[in-house]
Amino acid sequence: MGPMTQLFTSLSQLFQGFADWRRWAWLGLYDVHLLNRRSFFGMWWPTLSIGIFAFGVGHLYAILMGRPLHVYLPHLAVGMIAWQLIIGGIVQGSSVFISSLRILEESILPANTLALRLLTRLVVQFLLGLTVIAAVFIYLQKPLTPMAAVSILGLVLDVIVLHGTIMFLGFLCARFRDVQHLIDATLRLVFFLTPILWIPTADRGGRSIIVDFNPFYYMIEVIRAPIVHGEFPALAMTVVAGLAVVSNLFGLGAFTLFRRKLMYWI
C-alpha cells in the first residue's frame, strides 16, 4: 500500500469517526454517568472544587498581588475552567488507547472515536464549570458583554486542537509509556508559567517571553478575553487556529503511520 493510499485510507476512517457522532456522544455522556454514580453531588464535584479554589485563592492572591478583586477573580476563575479542559485533554488523551484496550479488542471503530468520546466528557465538564463563572460575575455584580459569546468559538478551536493532540499523544504514549510521566511532570511546571494565577503585564522582559511563546496562554485567552475583558482576541484566535491545523496534521500523521501497530503496543 503506497503512502498516498495510506493517507486517503486514514482520512476516510477519521471522517467515519466524525460522522458516527451518536456513538461517541453517547459513550462520552455514559462515561460522565459512570464516573459520578453513587455520589450525592456527582458530576458537580469538579465544578465545586474549582469554585472553592477560585474564590479562596482569588481573594488571597488579589491582596498579595495588589490587584482589584473585580479584575483578578474573573481572570482566575475563567483561566482555571479553561485550564481543566486543556490539561484533561492532554493527560487523559495520552492514555486514551491504553485505557481502551478491551474496546479496541472487541469492536472495530475509527481510532478518533475514542478521542471524540473523551472530548465529549471534557466539554460536558467545561459547561458545568460555567456555573462558577456565573457565580463570580453575580458575586462581583459585574455584567457580561455580548462579546462573551465569542468564547464559544474559542472553545471550538481549543477542542479541535485537543483532538489532534489526543491522536498524536495517544499513539506516542502507547509506544513509549514513559512519555506519560514526562507529560505529568511538565504540566505541573507549565501551570505556573501560564497566566492563570498571575496577570500578564505589558512590560517587556522574561515574563513577556513566557507569555508570547506559551501556546497554553493563547488557548486560555480565546475563552477568557471575550468573557472577562469583552474583547475579541484576534491574535490568540489566529495562533490557536494555527495550532489546530498543526496538531491535527501531527495526529493524522501518527494515525497513518502507526494505526496497524497500535494493538501490538498496547
Side-chain angles (χ1 to χ4, degrees):
M1 187 181 294
M4 293 304 296
T5 303
Q6 291 185 31
L7 177 61
F8 285 125
T9 301
S10 298
L11 285 172
S12 175
Q13 291 186 19
L14 292 178
F15 284 128
Q16 288 176 20
F18 283 113
D20 194 16
W21 63 270
R22 290 181 180 85
R23 185 195 303 269
W24 49 259
W26 183 88
L27 287 172
L29 294 174
Y30 187 64
D31 284 343
V32 174
H33 169 72
L34 288 179
L35 289 171
N36 298 286
R37 63 181 178 177
R38 298 187 180 183
S39 174
F40 182 76
F41 287 106
M43 67 183 70
W44 290 100
W45 271 119
T47 302
L48 288 171
S49 177
I50 293 176
I52 293 170
F53 179 88
F55 276 94
V57 174
H59 281 81
L60 175 62
Y61 273 50
I63 296 172
L64 293 178
M65 296 186 176
R67 297 282 186 174
L69 185 63
H70 73 277
V71 172
Y72 184 77
L73 187 54
H75 170 89
L76 174 64
V78 180
M80 284 299 303
I81 298 296
W83 175 255
Q84 289 300 313
L85 171 71
I86 296 167
I87 194 175
I90 295 174
V91 173
Q92 298 177 49
S94 63
S95 62
V96 67
F97 298 134
I98 299 170
S99 61
S100 303
L101 174 60
R102 292 190 62 181
I103 295 176
L104 293 171
E105 286 178 335
E106 297 173 2
S107 61
I108 300 175
L109 47 80
N112 67 330
T113 298
L114 299 173
L116 294 167
R117 170 190 182 181
L118 170 58
L119 288 172
T120 299
R121 186 167 76 240
L122 293 174
V123 169
V124 169
Q125 196 61 63
F126 176 87
L127 295 177
L128 293 176
L130 294 180
T131 57
V132 174
I133 299 173
V136 167
F137 277 77
I138 292 172
Y139 173 72
L140 297 173
Q141 298 182 353
K142 183 177 181 178
L144 285 172
T145 67
M147 186 60 70
V150 174
S151 61
I152 298 173
L153 175 59
L155 172 62
V156 171
L157 287 175
D158 281 351
V159 169
I160 295 173
V161 173
L162 290 174
H163 174 266
T165 303
I166 292 169
M167 292 295 293
F168 176 74
L169 291 180
F171 280 98
L172 181 65
C173 293
R175 178 63 181 87
F176 303 104
R177 302 297 175 92
D178 289 340
V179 175
Q180 286 182 275
H181 301 290
L182 179 61
I183 290 172
D184 290 340
T186 302
L187 287 177
R188 291 192 183 95
L189 174 62
V190 170
F191 174 77
F192 292 101
L193 295 179
T194 302
I196 300 172
L197 295 177
W198 51 278
I199 299 176
T201 63
D203 299 336
R204 307 306 297 176
R207 177 174 291 191
S208 179
I209 293 175
I210 292 174
V211 172
D212 292 344
F213 295 95
N214 187 340
F216 297 98
Y217 164 71
Y218 297 105
M219 292 182 70
I220 291 174
E221 200 65 11
V222 292
I223 296 174
R224 183 167 58 192
I227 296 176
V228 176
H229 305 296
E231 301 173 351
F232 182 84
L235 175 60
M237 288 287 186
T238 303
V239 171
V240 176
L243 290 174
V245 174
V246 172
S247 69
N248 280 277
L249 286 176
F250 272 87
L252 174 61
F255 180 63
T256 302
L257 294 173
F258 306 123
R259 70 178 187 274
R260 296 179 183 276
K261 301 178 181 180
L262 179 61
M263 293 305 298
Y264 297 102
W265 292 343
I266 60 177

